[in-house]
Structure formats: C-alpha cells, structure tokens
Amino acid sequence: MSLSQDDVRRIARLARIAVSDDEVQESQSQLNQLFALIEEMRAVNTDGIEPMAHAQDVMLRLREDVATAPNRRDAFQAVAPSVENGLYLVPKVIE
Amino acid sequence: MKWEVVIGLEVHTQLTTKSKIFSAASTAFGAAPNTQTAVVDIALPGALPVMNRGAVERAIQFGLAIGAKVNRKSIFARKNYFYPDLPKGYQISQFELPVVEGGAITIQVQPAKGDPYEKVINLTRAHLEEDAGKSVHEDFHGASGIDLNRAGTPLLEIVSEPEMRSAAEAVAYAKALYSLVTWIGICDGNMQEGSFRCDVNVSVRPEGQAEFGTRREIKNLNSFKFIEQAIKYEVQWQIDEIESGRKIQQATILFDPDSGETRMMRSKEDAHDYRYFPDPDLPPLVISEEWIERVQRELPELPVAMQARFAEQYGLSAYDARTLTASKELAAFFEATVAAGADAKLAANWIMGDISATLNREEKTIADSPVNAEALAGLIKRISDNTINNKTAKDVLKKMWESGDAADVIIERDGLKQESDTGAIEAIVDAVLAANPKAIEEYRSGKEKALNALVGQVMKGSGGKANPGMALELLKKKVG
C-alpha cells in the first residue's frame, strides 16, 4: 500500500495540521516508508493468534463510583485564553 | 409503488453513576458551568482516565436484562474528531469489541390503524463511552461558550438492528427500552435533561426488495413525540424524492420541532472519518464470571417476567398485567394494595382507572399519590363486602384524595353505607314502579333494558345508597 499526495493532504486535514506542498512531498515519502515496514510485518503468518488491543498484558483498573473531585474551576480557567460567566469562550461554532 | 420503511435506533442513555466514567467529578445535573470538571474532563495534558466500576456494572445489568452476551473482555477506542466541547480531540468509546453484544426486546405496538401487536426487536450491541460537554451559542459577542460539566458523563449507547418497519414500531421500541433502563435503574430517564437521546436511521425501499435503501440519520431526538413526527416527515420526504426521480444521499439530519421538518446537518462528503484505534491509556476491560453472576442474582424481576406472574398469580388479563408493570413503582403499588387485603381484579381496575386518571390530571406520579396502597385497599374491601356500591366508592375516593381520611371514616361520617335492607328498598321500588307504567309495559313486551332506567331512579330515590343489584332483583320480581 502506498499513499498518494491527496491521501497525505486528507490525513493532514483530518488532524488539523497545515502542510505546504513541499511538506506534502516529504511526508508522503516518510509515510510510505512506514507503510513498507507495515507491509513487512503483515507478511508474517499470524493465523490463530488473538489480536492485541494493548502492548502490555494488563487489564483495566477500576475505581469505586464516588464523586470526590473538588471544584477547581478558578484554577483551570486562570490559564484559559478567554472565559465569561464560568464558560470557556471559543470561536463561534454552529453546525 | 408500495414502500417499506426500515428503521434502526441508536440510543444514548446517561448512566446513573455519581461520578464520571473516567474521573471523580460529579455527574449531578444543573450545576454552575465548569464546576464539575476534573483534569481528565478538561483534557489537561498527561491526565489519565481511570474507569468507573459503577458504569461497567450498569452495562452488565443491561446486557443481562436483554439476554445479551456480556463480553468477558472488551476494548476502549478513541473516536477522533474536533469540536470545542470535546477538548481531548477524541471521544473514548468502544468500537471493535463492545461490552454487550446481541440481546432482544419485545415491544408492544399500537399502529395507527388496526390491532395492537407484539414484535421482538434484536439488538446489535451496547457500548460504554463518555458524553461530550455542551456548547452555548448565544450572547458571547460572536464567540461560543463551553461548559464541560457534562463531559465524561458515562453513556451506554444501545444500537438496534434495522428491524422496525414504521414510526409506531420505532416509538414502541424506544418506549420499551426506556421502560427497561429505568426499571433496572441504570438511567434516570429524564429526557428533558438529555438522559435518554435517540438517533434514528431511516430508509425506504420498494416492498419486496431485499437490499436496504440509502439511509439518513436523524440526530438527537429527546421525546417520543418527536421520534414519531420526525420519522413520519422523513419517510414522506424520502418517498417524494425517489418518486421525483432523485436519489437519496446518505446524510446526517436534524429535526426541528417548531416546523415539524427535518434538515441536513452534514452530507456524506463531509461526514466524519473517525479513525478509531484502541486507546493506549486503557487496557482491555475484563469482567469476571463472579461479577456477572452477582449482578444476575441482584437483578430485579423484569417487566416481562412480572407480567407473566401477575397474570398467573392474580388472574389478570395480559393487558392489565402490562399496564400495571408500566413502571416498577406502579407495579409495587398494585402488589401492596393486594397485600393489604384488596381483591386483585378490583385493585387493578381502580389503579388503572380512577387513581391513574386523577394522577394524570394533577400531573403526579404514583409515588406522590395522596391515597396510598393501604388506604385504597381499605376502600376496595368495602366494595367487596357490599358496604358501598361502585358509584359511592368513586365519591369516597375523591374525599379520601382531598382529606387523607380513611374510607371507613368517610363512609361512617357521611352515612354512605349501602342500603341492603329489603324493606327500605322495596318502598322506593314500589314508588318508582307506580310512577313508570310505561317502562313496565316495555319490559313485559321483552325490552329487558327498560328496567335499567328504573334502577337508576331507585338509586336516586335512595340517595345513591341502595344496593343496585338488589334493586334490580326487586324490580324484576315485582314486574315479572
């Protein structure tokens, strides 16, 4: 599998990363090298092996359902660019 | 051409945990903006999610309640998209291996035309995920305000197979699901506050065609009425489009309750590409046999099982059994009334009749009924032993409702005891017969009903206290 320049632009757009034309070319060749590596791995026979969802053989830790977090709004909003009436302000979004 | 409608639902139920799915912030509704957020909920770099046991427990409860497979191992995935009320840039959800797979729900459908019927709807899956925050669009000089109190509230997204064939079936399914999740207590069912939100996938196809048509998804419906209106509008729109020679494009749409119309939110071209992948912050969720067995043991009796028991134990009709198990509280009220000595059938009739009607009128639930189960049983016992007749009982109930007095107190105080003294009723019967020679003739010429009117007059003459059965018997005896 290899990526076209359009694929690269689309991936960049989905990730909200601005790329210039030069960068598209460079990213394309880097990504395609990665895919070559992936192709090599895909060639290994993995029949009968359960797919892994996590790199470590551990299971999810669970906590009891208690609400103990204090209200730290002031501290959190002290570093926000813009707040009003307790709300974070962002450029207008309407779908 | 005849069209067949195909509908599937995705329902987001907010779970009744005290804290969020991945943080220890409170989930209580209505707090001041952003006062119930922890570092995980506002996505501070490096903050790590820790799974809430209570959310998993509720997912297990649901899975067992619908006879589904509860996966011993399930995986959390990142669903990637950018929106300001989702500060991480991804929602933690489940993709390849959800916590619940399969299962089914039996629905009671009341179609627009024809008789009610039952249908089994199969479920595809139910998975755990986090809710997003809320955007406030007004009044911030061109900016939007973001409240992250809701961010991280645990959701169980319940996905049905596309097995519904009408708006009536879709509404019946949503109601059955609603009744179940509130019955087992995993969701508070407050639709106004967004605790139960439905996405509805709708498509149409010519009757007999095997492949599905192209579907459009109506987002975020939070009332049963809107579900019905939106589907009806959308189905007609799709049929009109196709019959006008146009093709349906896959799209996400919104329903506007004010206009009753659906409108496009986004088309397939700019539809999201979520790029799911397993969340490296969360290893697989493992659920032990012992955990599942314990939840199974603690699961309350479910509506369907309770309906069967009500029919069997109390001799109720299927309809009565279903009505009385509409909520756990109503069913408990019924059983408490019977336990306090009331006849089961009379109890069912009174609860579904006068009690429910008055509660509806006063916009109360059975929990706030001024007449409790024991008091109602006190009234019903006086009907059963013929102390009062049905009509008087209605008045007594009204007085009980207002004063809180017991039935016996009111019957005694107001002298409402039914007149079963033959001599006293006979005198009234004689007077009524003397005044109605025409009715007697009609009855003798075979018009059975003619005497019913006279029973009414006897009742009136006795101030409502005569035993109507006895009055009819006396009338028949004297005329015949």
Side-chain angles (χ1 to χ4, degrees), chain A residues 68-72 76 88, chain B residues 20 22-26 34-44 47 87 148-149 151:
Chain A
T68 52
N71 171 15
R72 295 171 64 193
F76 293 156
Y88 297 93
Chain B
K20 293 187 177 177
F22 298 120
S23 87
S26 168
N34 293 305
T35 55
Q36 290 176 171
T37 60
V39 287
V40 167
D41 310 312
I42 64 167
L44 284 194
L148 297 174
N149 281 348

mmCIF file of all heavy atoms in Angstrom, chain A residues 68-72 76 88, chain B residues 20 22-26 34-44 47 87 148-149 151:
data_model
loop_
_atom_site.group_PDB
_atom_site.id
_atom_site.type_symbol
_atom_site.label_atom_id
_atom_site.label_comp_id
_atom_site.label_asym_id
_atom_site.label_seq_id
_atom_site.Cartn_x
_atom_site.Cartn_y
_atom_site.Cartn_z
ATOM 1 N N THR A 68 -15.395 12.582 44.215
ATOM 2 C CA THR A 68 -14.531 13.228 45.204
ATOM 3 C C THR A 68 -13.786 14.431 44.641
ATOM 4 O O THR A 68 -13.112 15.136 45.380
ATOM 5 C CB THR A 68 -13.478 12.236 45.728
ATOM 6 O OG1 THR A 68 -12.819 11.655 44.602
ATOM 7 C CG2 THR A 68 -14.121 11.127 46.556
ATOM 8 N N ALA A 69 -13.906 14.668 43.327
ATOM 9 C CA ALA A 69 -13.131 15.761 42.730
ATOM 10 C C ALA A 69 -13.661 17.118 43.200
ATOM 11 O O ALA A 69 -14.863 17.370 43.105
ATOM 12 C CB ALA A 69 -13.179 15.659 41.209
ATOM 13 N N PRO A 70 -12.794 17.979 43.725
ATOM 14 C CA PRO A 70 -13.238 19.300 44.159
ATOM 15 C C PRO A 70 -13.474 20.218 42.954
ATOM 16 O O PRO A 70 -13.052 19.918 41.845
ATOM 17 C CB PRO A 70 -12.068 19.808 44.989
ATOM 18 C CG PRO A 70 -10.869 19.117 44.411
ATOM 19 C CD PRO A 70 -11.348 17.788 43.907
ATOM 20 N N ASN A 71 -14.176 21.319 43.194
ATOM 21 C CA ASN A 71 -14.382 22.309 42.133
ATOM 22 C C ASN A 71 -13.110 23.149 41.996
ATOM 23 O O ASN A 71 -12.765 23.931 42.874
ATOM 24 C CB ASN A 71 -15.575 23.186 42.511
ATOM 25 C CG ASN A 71 -15.717 24.381 41.571
ATOM 26 O OD1 ASN A 71 -15.115 24.406 40.495
ATOM 27 N ND2 ASN A 71 -16.510 25.353 41.987
ATOM 28 N N ARG A 72 -12.414 22.978 40.874
ATOM 29 C CA ARG A 72 -11.175 23.745 40.664
ATOM 30 C C ARG A 72 -11.313 24.659 39.454
ATOM 31 O O ARG A 72 -10.351 24.906 38.726
ATOM 32 C CB ARG A 72 -9.994 22.784 40.484
ATOM 33 C CG ARG A 72 -9.731 21.975 41.763
ATOM 34 C CD ARG A 72 -8.712 20.886 41.522
ATOM 35 N NE ARG A 72 -7.396 21.427 41.178
ATOM 36 C CZ ARG A 72 -6.410 20.685 40.675
ATOM 37 N NH1 ARG A 72 -6.586 19.405 40.452
ATOM 38 N NH2 ARG A 72 -5.232 21.231 40.392
ATOM 39 N N PHE A 76 -8.401 26.178 36.860
ATOM 40 C CA PHE A 76 -8.385 25.736 35.462
ATOM 41 C C PHE A 76 -8.553 26.920 34.511
ATOM 42 O O PHE A 76 -7.903 27.027 33.475
ATOM 43 C CB PHE A 76 -9.522 24.737 35.195
ATOM 44 C CG PHE A 76 -9.377 23.416 35.908
ATOM 45 C CD1 PHE A 76 -10.491 22.632 36.176
ATOM 46 C CD2 PHE A 76 -8.115 22.945 36.300
ATOM 47 C CE1 PHE A 76 -10.361 21.421 36.817
ATOM 48 C CE2 PHE A 76 -7.985 21.726 36.942
ATOM 49 C CZ PHE A 76 -9.110 20.959 37.214
ATOM 50 N N TYR A 88 -15.866 28.596 29.065
ATOM 51 C CA TYR A 88 -14.712 28.837 28.203
ATOM 52 C C TYR A 88 -15.233 29.432 26.907
ATOM 53 O O TYR A 88 -16.213 28.924 26.351
ATOM 54 C CB TYR A 88 -13.980 27.529 27.880
ATOM 55 C CG TYR A 88 -13.396 26.836 29.088
ATOM 56 C CD1 TYR A 88 -14.124 25.864 29.771
ATOM 57 C CD2 TYR A 88 -12.118 27.147 29.550
ATOM 58 C CE1 TYR A 88 -13.594 25.228 30.887
ATOM 59 C CE2 TYR A 88 -11.570 26.510 30.660
ATOM 60 C CZ TYR A 88 -12.320 25.554 31.331
ATOM 61 O OH TYR A 88 -11.794 24.927 32.431
ATOM 62 N N LYS B 20 -18.075 10.553 37.156
ATOM 63 C CA LYS B 20 -17.924 10.391 35.714
ATOM 64 C C LYS B 20 -17.264 9.060 35.357
ATOM 65 O O LYS B 20 -16.760 8.358 36.219
ATOM 66 C CB LYS B 20 -17.138 11.574 35.161
ATOM 67 C CG LYS B 20 -17.960 12.860 35.287
ATOM 68 C CD LYS B 20 -17.326 14.045 34.626
ATOM 69 C CE LYS B 20 -18.260 15.250 34.757
ATOM 70 N NZ LYS B 20 -17.668 16.466 34.190
ATOM 71 N N PHE B 22 -14.546 8.402 33.653
ATOM 72 C CA PHE B 22 -13.090 8.312 33.776
ATOM 73 C C PHE B 22 -12.488 9.271 34.795
ATOM 74 O O PHE B 22 -11.275 9.421 34.870
ATOM 75 C CB PHE B 22 -12.426 8.548 32.406
ATOM 76 C CG PHE B 22 -12.808 7.519 31.389
ATOM 77 C CD1 PHE B 22 -13.446 7.884 30.207
ATOM 78 C CD2 PHE B 22 -12.551 6.171 31.600
ATOM 79 C CE1 PHE B 22 -13.815 6.933 29.266
ATOM 80 C CE2 PHE B 22 -12.911 5.200 30.667
ATOM 81 C CZ PHE B 22 -13.545 5.591 29.491
ATOM 82 N N SER B 23 -13.342 9.998 35.550
ATOM 83 C CA SER B 23 -12.809 10.898 36.571
ATOM 84 C C SER B 23 -13.729 10.887 37.786
ATOM 85 O O SER B 23 -14.846 10.383 37.721
ATOM 86 C CB SER B 23 -12.667 12.328 36.045
ATOM 87 O OG SER B 23 -13.885 13.043 36.223
ATOM 88 N N ALA B 24 -13.273 11.493 38.880
ATOM 89 C CA ALA B 24 -14.052 11.501 40.123
ATOM 90 C C ALA B 24 -14.908 12.760 40.247
ATOM 91 O O ALA B 24 -15.365 13.094 41.335
ATOM 92 C CB ALA B 24 -13.123 11.353 41.320
ATOM 93 N N ALA B 25 -15.137 13.470 39.118
ATOM 94 C CA ALA B 25 -16.023 14.642 39.164
ATOM 95 C C ALA B 25 -17.474 14.180 39.217
ATOM 96 O O ALA B 25 -17.815 13.113 38.710
ATOM 97 C CB ALA B 25 -15.792 15.517 37.933
ATOM 98 N N SER B 26 -18.337 15.010 39.824
ATOM 99 C CA SER B 26 -19.747 14.658 39.972
ATOM 100 C C SER B 26 -20.487 14.738 38.635
ATOM 101 O O SER B 26 -20.143 15.539 37.768
ATOM 102 C CB SER B 26 -20.399 15.616 40.973
ATOM 103 O OG SER B 26 -21.803 15.485 40.920
ATOM 104 N N ASN B 34 -18.899 24.412 34.438
ATOM 105 C CA ASN B 34 -17.498 24.020 34.641
ATOM 106 C C ASN B 34 -17.081 23.845 36.105
ATOM 107 O O ASN B 34 -15.896 23.842 36.407
ATOM 108 C CB ASN B 34 -16.563 25.009 33.935
ATOM 109 C CG ASN B 34 -16.715 24.918 32.428
ATOM 110 O OD1 ASN B 34 -16.570 23.836 31.857
ATOM 111 N ND2 ASN B 34 -17.029 26.034 31.790
ATOM 112 N N THR B 35 -18.067 23.682 37.005
ATOM 113 C CA THR B 35 -17.704 23.451 38.407
ATOM 114 C C THR B 35 -17.579 21.961 38.711
ATOM 115 O O THR B 35 -17.145 21.590 39.782
ATOM 116 C CB THR B 35 -18.756 24.054 39.361
ATOM 117 O OG1 THR B 35 -20.044 23.534 39.016
ATOM 118 C CG2 THR B 35 -18.771 25.563 39.272
ATOM 119 N N GLN B 36 -17.997 21.112 37.767
ATOM 120 C CA GLN B 36 -17.894 19.669 37.982
ATOM 121 C C GLN B 36 -16.973 19.063 36.925
ATOM 122 O O GLN B 36 -17.383 18.243 36.108
ATOM 123 C CB GLN B 36 -19.282 19.033 37.953
ATOM 124 C CG GLN B 36 -20.099 19.431 39.170
ATOM 125 C CD GLN B 36 -21.521 18.917 39.161
ATOM 126 O OE1 GLN B 36 -22.209 19.039 40.164
ATOM 127 N NE2 GLN B 36 -21.982 18.368 38.058
ATOM 128 N N THR B 37 -15.723 19.523 36.955
ATOM 129 C CA THR B 37 -14.756 19.005 35.988
ATOM 130 C C THR B 37 -13.467 18.661 36.715
ATOM 131 O O THR B 37 -13.062 19.361 37.641
ATOM 132 C CB THR B 37 -14.427 20.034 34.889
ATOM 133 O OG1 THR B 37 -13.871 21.207 35.502
ATOM 134 C CG2 THR B 37 -15.659 20.418 34.093
ATOM 135 N N ALA B 38 -12.858 17.568 36.293
ATOM 136 C CA ALA B 38 -11.538 17.200 36.809
ATOM 137 C C ALA B 38 -10.548 17.305 35.654
ATOM 138 O O ALA B 38 -10.941 17.545 34.514
ATOM 139 C CB ALA B 38 -11.577 15.782 37.366
ATOM 140 N N VAL B 39 -9.272 17.128 35.955
ATOM 141 C CA VAL B 39 -8.243 17.310 34.917
ATOM 142 C C VAL B 39 -8.496 16.447 33.688
ATOM 143 O O VAL B 39 -8.213 16.856 32.560
ATOM 144 C CB VAL B 39 -6.819 17.030 35.474
ATOM 145 C CG1 VAL B 39 -6.380 18.163 36.376
ATOM 146 C CG2 VAL B 39 -6.752 15.702 36.201
ATOM 147 N N VAL B 40 -9.059 15.241 33.892
ATOM 148 C CA VAL B 40 -9.335 14.358 32.758
ATOM 149 C C VAL B 40 -10.421 14.960 31.861
ATOM 150 O O VAL B 40 -10.330 14.903 30.635
ATOM 151 C CB VAL B 40 -9.773 12.957 33.263
ATOM 152 C CG1 VAL B 40 -10.371 12.126 32.132
ATOM 153 C CG2 VAL B 40 -8.587 12.232 33.870
ATOM 154 N N ASP B 41 -11.436 15.555 32.493
ATOM 155 C CA ASP B 41 -12.586 16.065 31.728
ATOM 156 C C ASP B 41 -12.242 17.288 30.889
ATOM 157 O O ASP B 41 -12.864 17.532 29.858
ATOM 158 C CB ASP B 41 -13.734 16.424 32.685
ATOM 159 C CG ASP B 41 -14.036 15.289 33.643
ATOM 160 O OD1 ASP B 41 -14.158 14.160 33.166
ATOM 161 O OD2 ASP B 41 -14.114 15.543 34.863
ATOM 162 N N ILE B 42 -11.275 18.071 31.346
ATOM 163 C CA ILE B 42 -10.892 19.237 30.542
ATOM 164 C C ILE B 42 -9.650 18.927 29.718
ATOM 165 O O ILE B 42 -9.111 19.800 29.046
ATOM 166 C CB ILE B 42 -10.674 20.492 31.417
ATOM 167 C CG1 ILE B 42 -9.504 20.304 32.372
ATOM 168 C CG2 ILE B 42 -11.928 20.848 32.194
ATOM 169 C CD1 ILE B 42 -9.066 21.607 33.017
ATOM 170 N N ALA B 43 -9.206 17.666 29.780
ATOM 171 C CA ALA B 43 -8.113 17.188 28.917
ATOM 172 C C ALA B 43 -6.800 17.910 29.152
ATOM 173 O O ALA B 43 -6.117 18.287 28.200
ATOM 174 C CB ALA B 43 -8.515 17.263 27.443
ATOM 175 N N LEU B 44 -6.440 18.115 30.411
ATOM 176 C CA LEU B 44 -5.108 18.670 30.661
ATOM 177 C C LEU B 44 -4.084 17.621 30.228
ATOM 178 O O LEU B 44 -4.265 16.426 30.476
ATOM 179 C CB LEU B 44 -4.930 19.002 32.141
ATOM 180 C CG LEU B 44 -5.632 20.263 32.636
ATOM 181 C CD1 LEU B 44 -5.095 20.657 34.008
ATOM 182 C CD2 LEU B 44 -5.460 21.423 31.666
ATOM 183 N N ALA B 47 -3.129 13.994 31.862
ATOM 184 C CA ALA B 47 -4.169 13.456 32.744
ATOM 185 C C ALA B 47 -4.631 12.112 32.199
ATOM 186 O O ALA B 47 -4.879 11.972 31.013
ATOM 187 C CB ALA B 47 -5.348 14.424 32.815
ATOM 188 N N PRO B 87 -12.615 18.465 24.432
ATOM 189 C CA PRO B 87 -11.284 19.073 24.450
ATOM 190 C C PRO B 87 -10.129 18.118 24.132
ATOM 191 O O PRO B 87 -9.089 18.572 23.678
ATOM 192 C CB PRO B 87 -11.163 19.649 25.863
ATOM 193 C CG PRO B 87 -12.246 19.027 26.661
ATOM 194 C CD PRO B 87 -13.312 18.586 25.716
ATOM 195 N N LEU B 148 -18.121 22.224 30.401
ATOM 196 C CA LEU B 148 -17.647 20.833 30.358
ATOM 197 C C LEU B 148 -18.175 19.984 31.518
ATOM 198 O O LEU B 148 -17.670 18.893 31.771
ATOM 199 C CB LEU B 148 -16.118 20.800 30.310
ATOM 200 C CG LEU B 148 -15.523 21.445 29.047
ATOM 201 C CD1 LEU B 148 -14.004 21.517 29.126
ATOM 202 C CD2 LEU B 148 -15.949 20.676 27.798
ATOM 203 N N ASN B 149 -19.213 20.476 32.208
ATOM 204 C CA ASN B 149 -19.776 19.652 33.295
ATOM 205 C C ASN B 149 -20.253 18.293 32.790
ATOM 206 O O ASN B 149 -20.137 17.296 33.482
ATOM 207 C CB ASN B 149 -20.968 20.356 33.952
ATOM 208 C CG ASN B 149 -20.519 21.419 34.933
ATOM 209 O OD1 ASN B 149 -19.341 21.481 35.296
ATOM 210 N ND2 ASN B 149 -21.451 22.250 35.367
ATOM 211 N N ALA B 151 -19.116 16.726 30.162
ATOM 212 C CA ALA B 151 -18.025 15.954 29.546
ATOM 213 C C ALA B 151 -17.614 14.830 30.482
ATOM 214 O O ALA B 151 -17.319 15.059 31.644
ATOM 215 C CB ALA B 151 -16.840 16.869 29.245
#
